[in-house]
Amino acid sequence: MKKFAVVLSGCGVFDGAEIYESVLTLQALERNNIEYQCFAPNIEQMHVINHLTGEVAEGESRNVLVEAARIARGEIKDLAEAKADEFDAVILPGGFGAAKNLSDFAVKGSDCAVNPELVRFIQGFADAKKPVGFVCIAPAMLPLIFGKGTKLTIGNDEETAKAIEAMGGVHVACQVDDIVVDEDKQLVTTPAYMLAGSISEAAKGINKLVDKMVSMLG
């Protein structure tokens, strides 16, 4: 049985992993009879957002790994322990956690940096030419991992696309139900909630992404 790694960035669209995208990813993997293991970095979140009001919860702090464990039902490991050679592929769902906790793209845009443990892990897949899937806003960090000329999508947001291209990426506009594939880098991306108006819309692109990655494995 093939085995995927799934990297989460907390729990909640505004300060962690997007919950619907994460669950849809896990469901699509199970539908394809794929075993998976979730990971998250053992670090503090950039900040905590009150998802009822959309405002920063002053004086509150949360741990990315502890929060991500909510989505994984406790079946999750520290990203520092993750080894690319133990998996056939890796997927990173979106949510602002990808741009706040796994990178600082939300704050610094094209001047951002990526969590070094994540870079180490994903580069292991890149070096081995194993499939990598990034969802929603998460692809914004890909030029800093795969290098200049990396082909990807975050949908059609012009400002975000410009920041990606400033980092050396090649942004391809994409509809919510479709994917963009960089065949040379074995990389698949989809917009999901960068464009989705419903969970069923997000599911179309995520299902297509997972199916494509499975087909890459032969």
Side-chain angles (χ1 to χ4, degrees), residues 39-93:
F39 293 94
N42 187 10
I43 57 174
E44 292 302 298
Q45 292 183 187
M46 177 184 135
H47 58 202
V48 178
I49 297 293
N50 179 329
H51 281 64
L52 193 60
T53 65
E55 311 216 333
V56 176
E58 297 295 346
E60 194 171 338
S61 64
R62 297 188 186 182
N63 178 281
V64 174
L65 177 58
V66 172
E67 289 299 292
R70 294 174 180 270
I71 296 174
R73 296 172 62 90
E75 293 294 325
I76 193 164
K77 295 181 179 180
D78 188 340
L79 184 60
E81 302 174 16
K83 297 176 182 177
D85 60 9
E86 295 179 355
F87 298 92
D88 298 291
V90 60
I91 300 181
L92 203 155

Side-chain angles (χ1 to χ4, degrees), residues 1-213:
M1 182 182 282
K2 301 296 185 184
K3 188 171 186 178
F4 279 43
V6 178
V7 181
L8 302 176
S9 57
C11 180
V13 57
F14 298 123
D15 59 8
E18 213 294 322
I19 297 170
Y20 290 175
E21 290 176 0
S22 302
V23 173
L24 288 167
T25 297
L26 301 182
Q27 183 184 46
L29 290 171
E30 285 202 2
R31 179 173 51 80
N32 278 280
N33 198 33
I34 299 290
E35 189 180 346
Y36 60 81
Q37 174 63 56
C38 293
F39 293 94
N42 187 10
I43 57 174
E44 292 302 298
Q45 292 183 187
M46 177 184 135
H47 58 202
V48 178
I49 297 293
N50 179 329
H51 281 64
L52 193 60
T53 65
E55 311 216 333
V56 176
E58 297 295 346
E60 194 171 338
S61 64
R62 297 188 186 182
N63 178 281
V64 174
L65 177 58
V66 172
E67 289 299 292
R70 294 174 180 270
I71 296 174
R73 296 172 62 90
E75 293 294 325
I76 193 164
K77 295 181 179 180
D78 188 340
L79 184 60
E81 302 174 16
K83 297 176 182 177
D85 60 9
E86 295 179 355
F87 298 92
D88 298 291
V90 60
I91 300 181
L92 203 155
F96 275 105
K100 291 178 177 179
N101 304 328
L102 299 182
S103 72
D104 54 7
F105 181 80
V107 179
K108 297 187 177 179
S110 59
D111 294 323
C112 72
V114 181
N115 177 286
E117 287 293 352
L118 181 65
V119 173
R120 172 195 61 79
F121 189 46
I122 301 298
Q123 281 185 338
F125 290 90
D127 293 345
K129 293 287 186 181
K130 293 178 179 179
V132 174
F134 273 49
V135 178
C136 190
I137 190 64
M141 68 179 91
L142 285 170
L144 299 183
I145 301 175
F146 281 85
K148 292 185 177 181
T150 301
K151 190 167 74 170
L152 61 100
T153 191
I154 48 83
N156 58 18
D157 184 80
E158 290 185 15
E159 187 175 342
T160 307
K162 284 179 183 176
I164 288 167
E165 295 188 336
M167 290 188 282
V170 178
H171 184 265
V172 181
C174 179
Q175 296 301 310
V176 67
D177 61 350
D178 211 352
I179 57 175
V180 167
V181 183
D182 187 323
E183 296 282 1
D184 180 57
K185 293 179 168 62
Q186 292 286 288
L187 176 65
V188 190
T189 53
T190 192
Y193 271 101
M194 286 296 286
L195 289 176
S198 68
I199 190 169
S200 58
E201 278 192 352
K204 291 176 182 176
I206 290 171
N207 286 335
K208 193 175 284 189
L209 175 141
V210 171
D211 290 349
K212 176 62 177 177
M213 291 178 71

